[in-house]
Amino acid sequence: MSTGDHYFTASPASPEQQRSLTVRLAGRDVTVRTAGGIFSPDGLDKGTAVLLREAPEPPTTGTFLDLGCGWGPIALTLALRAPGARVYAVDVNERALDLLRTNARSLDLPHVHAGRAEDVPADLSFDLIWSNPPIRVGKAVLHELMLTWLPRLAPGGVAYLVVQKNLGADSLQRWLSEQLPAEVYAVSRYASDKGFRVLEVRRAS
């Protein structure tokens, strides 16, 4: 990346340098496109791998969200596992969104909708949210993301968030428990693996 570029930069200035990778998603080897200037361009990062391994099997249908999608490993996995679901994938990085659209087309996954937050219909609620949230954007932005999207869980919906332990997983769990009404949301640690926590946020039916 060029100086000043981050994976959460809207329009990276660094050279795109697209490449093909073979990665294992939803129990199969698939070929995807990645590029410079996005999150984890060289393959599955460790946190996403933990989430994909530890999170329970998604429902076969419903409306799902991948928050902070990058080139798309979470959204693509959800779509491969649940072909009857609508999968929305949100990111600020336009290059990452373009790559996810390319990857979804190449894998024949027409129900993946990649876009910025404002592209998601405001009245849409989600049965399932999977996210490797962008911790490095800082607490203020991270907390705003959590309080924007977690309340959009549908009744009975559930979110799984993977966070590195030494980057504040336990403090995020406590903060979510304090911020989300306890009579509506149950926040817990669902799994721990390789220095990461998978947090569960479940909305009452």
Side-chain angles (χ1 to χ4, degrees), residues 65-201:
L65 173 67
D66 171 8
L67 180 59
C69 61
W71 56 262
I74 293 173
L76 298 172
T77 295
L78 287 171
L80 288 166
R81 289 184 174 179
R86 291 185 300 165
V87 180
Y88 286 82
V90 170
D91 208 298
V92 299
N93 188 311
E94 294 288 356
R95 184 177 294 174
L97 292 170
D98 285 341
L99 288 163
L100 174 51
R101 295 183 190 110
T102 297
N103 292 331
R105 282 194 300 270
S106 70
L107 295 173
D108 193 23
L109 299 172
H111 302 303
V112 173
H113 308 279
R116 299 176 66 112
E118 56 267 30
D119 299 324
V120 179
D123 59 349
L124 200 63
S125 59
F126 300 98
D127 303 294
L128 182 66
I129 298 174
W130 280 9
S131 180
N132 182 353
I135 298 297
R136 296 185 188 278
V137 296
K139 279 189 177 181
V141 176
L142 175 67
H143 289 173
E144 182 181 0
L145 279 174
M146 296 293 100
L147 293 183
T148 296
W149 294 99
L150 291 176
R152 294 181 66 171
L153 282 170
V158 61
Y160 293 97
L161 317 170
V162 65
V163 182
Q164 196 168 344
K165 182 181 176 183
N166 64 10
L167 290 181
D170 295 340
S171 62
L172 179 62
Q173 180 181 340
R174 286 192 298 271
W175 183 84
L176 289 171
S177 296
E178 294 166 357
Q179 296 296 316
L180 298 172
E183 65 274 15
V184 181
Y185 299 93
V187 181
S188 62
R189 184 192 305 167
Y190 181 80
S192 296
D193 187 13
K194 299 187 184 304
F196 290 87
R197 310 284 203 214
V198 177
L199 306 182
E200 179 186 88
V201 180

Side-chain angles (χ1 to χ4, degrees), residues 14-93:
S14 55
E16 187 166 7
Q17 297 176 330
Q18 279 202 23
R19 70 204 80 161
S20 291
L21 292 177
T22 298
V23 295
R24 193 159 185 83
L25 301 177
R28 69 190 79 175
D29 291 329
V30 299
T31 299
V32 297
R33 300 289 291 173
T34 72
I38 67 169
F39 178 64
S40 193
D42 298 320
L44 274 184
D45 72 287
K46 292 179 180 178
T48 298
V50 168
L51 178 66
L52 298 183
R53 184 167 59 248
E54 297 290 345
E57 194 72 17
T60 55
T61 61
T63 303
F64 303 165
L65 173 67
D66 171 8
L67 180 59
C69 61
W71 56 262
I74 293 173
L76 298 172
T77 295
L78 287 171
L80 288 166
R81 289 184 174 179
R86 291 185 300 165
V87 180
Y88 286 82
V90 170
D91 208 298
V92 299
N93 188 311

